[in-house]
Amino acid sequence: MSAFLKSLMVLALGLALMGSAATAQDGVLRIGYACSNLGDLFQQYVLGAAQDAAESRGDVLLFRDAAEDLAIQEKQVMELLAEGVDALVVVPVETKKVDRIVAMAKIAAVPVVFVNRNPFAGQRPPEGCFYVGTDAFAEGEEQMRFVGKQIGADGRIAVLQGILVNEATHSRTQGVRHVVSSVYPGMALLAESSANWQRDQAKDVTRAWLGQFGPDGLDAIIANNDMMALGALDVLEDMGIRDIVVVGVDAVPEALDAIAVGRLAASVVQDPVAQGSKAIEMARQAVQKAKQPQVVIFPSRLVTRENVAAYRERSRDFAVLR
């Protein structure tokens, strides 16, 4: 018998002994929140919004940080279930490996709301599972349409990718490729390299590209998130290079500030307040067995210097976990 199956048996026995102790009392829910990585600023914003939403309803939010380790996240989910949470909200470490999390939640009869990282892209979630977030493919398309207008049909581009086991990395990159092949077939996609969502790693990749292609060999850098875009900007500005277009995704406050002064060309909105608060709402509705869609997708919106003021105002609502 595998270690995982043994763990499931222990979980099932523990839940059976608890009986009805895990049932919400007086309308107050205990919601477990399993985060992929609180070292990611955007995830801090999503969790901060979830915390605000839970507290506004009088619910208790129990959170865990897996630091991008799948085994740790699976253990943390089991611990949360053993503590008797009424619902789970999960930002998965690996979007293609959520089967064990789903299985544990099913044994515990606890609904799971996946947020921000979509393990069910193009598929219907299993019964008792939900997703709230954005369409990562559309975000990549938005980026590429904007870049194409800036650099022309024969431009040269490179893509800074996130963690390769994340659905958003693949979907955003595929969105970029789709627009290149369908709208700008003469454009050269010179490189795709992972910087794992991290600013410092994006600096290293950007320096390598500039060494490989030269400062005049790239017209645009398209990053799967803002922190990597800002890392690329750091390097370009240190080298005095100002004619390479850089775009990101997330529209975090620092990126919005950079757009406002013309440093960053654009970003695509991923509203962490909407995602975090909606995840809590969906978890509550699932516990109450209220009718609701299994998938909620927020629209992709491009932010440029022309419309950044409104989004900077909105970003004042962003809060990290207290």
Side-chain angles (χ1 to χ4, degrees):
M1 182 181 295
S2 71
F4 178 67
L5 286 176
K6 289 179 181 178
S7 297
L8 285 182
M9 290 178 65
V10 171
L11 175 63
L13 177 60
L15 291 168
L17 292 173
M18 287 173 61
S20 60
T23 304
Q25 298 178 0
D26 301 323
V28 175
L29 300 185
R30 287 164 52 85
I31 300 173
Y33 191 109
C35 185
S36 57
N37 183 11
L38 285 177
D40 183 330
L41 179 61
F42 187 81
Q43 294 304 333
Q44 294 180 36
Y45 291 143
V46 177
L47 177 52
Q51 183 187 42
D52 288 344
E55 289 183 353
S56 71
R57 295 167 170 82
D59 296 331
V60 177
L61 191 70
L62 308 175
F63 71 91
R64 301 289 188 274
D65 176 16
E68 298 293 359
D69 188 309
L70 176 62
I72 289 175
Q73 183 166 68
E74 291 174 348
K75 180 181 178 181
Q76 291 172 340
V77 166
M78 184 171 294
E79 291 171 349
L80 288 167
L81 292 170
E83 289 181 37
V85 295
D86 301 294
L88 280 172
V89 174
V90 179
V91 184
V93 168
E94 294 193 30
T95 47
K96 291 186 177 180
K97 295 184 178 180
V98 298
D99 290 353
R100 291 184 174 184
I101 292 173
V102 171
M104 287 187 284
K106 184 175 181 179
I107 286 176
V110 167
V112 187
V113 179
F114 291 93
V115 60
N116 185 246
R117 295 182 177 181
N118 188 359
F120 311 116
Q123 301 176 1
R124 182 174 179 174
E127 184 178 355
C129 295
F130 304 84
Y131 172 71
V132 56
T134 55
D135 182 338
F137 184 85
E139 290 162 349
E141 288 184 311
E142 286 280 0
Q143 287 181 300
M144 191 59 238
R145 289 191 193 100
F146 172 83
V147 166
K149 292 175 182 177
Q150 304 302 306
I151 68 174
D154 58 353
R156 299 154 299 177
I157 64 173
V159 179
L160 281 167
Q161 296 178 294
I163 295 173
L164 295 179
V165 295
N166 289 170
E167 177 271 336
T169 295
H170 292 282
S171 292
R172 287 175 192 158
T173 303
Q174 287 291 347
V176 170
R177 293 175 188 159
H178 178 256
V179 173
V180 169
S181 63
S182 61
V183 182
Y184 300 106
M187 191 170 287
L189 176 52
L190 299 180
E192 297 173 353
S193 296
S194 173
N196 294 308
W197 306 121
Q198 300 302 310
R199 187 172 191 155
D200 286 345
Q201 292 185 41
K203 293 180 184 181
D204 294 338
V205 173
T206 301
R207 291 190 191 100
W209 283 345
L210 292 173
Q212 180 180 359
F213 305 119
D216 298 321
L218 270 177
D219 299 303
I221 294 175
I222 301 170
N224 285 166
N225 79 341
D226 282 340
M227 299 315 294
M228 294 189 297
L230 291 168
L233 267 185
D234 291 339
V235 171
L236 296 175
E237 291 177 344
D238 285 348
M239 297 180 67
I241 300 170
R242 304 195 180 279
D243 55 355
I244 295 179
V245 174
V246 181
V247 299
V249 175
D250 287 342
V252 298
E254 186 179 354
L256 295 175
D257 291 343
I259 291 171
V261 297
R263 294 175 57 233
L264 187 65
S267 183
V268 180
V269 171
Q270 265 214 110
D271 190 333
V273 174
Q275 292 185 52
S277 58
K278 186 65 175 178
I280 298 301
E281 178 187 330
M282 292 176 75
R284 259 195 156 269
Q285 290 180 323
V287 171
Q288 296 165 355
K289 302 191 183 302
K291 187 176 181 180
Q292 66 172 330
Q294 278 190 280
V295 176
V296 174
I297 300 292
F298 292 108
S300 301
R301 299 185 299 276
L302 186 73
V303 184
T304 65
R305 200 169 186 179
E306 285 68 36
N307 64 353
V308 70
Y311 292 102
R312 291 179 85 188
E313 180 69 24
R314 169 64 168 161
S315 72
R316 294 176 184 175
D317 293 334
F318 293 3
V320 297
L321 184 74
R322 295 182 301 281

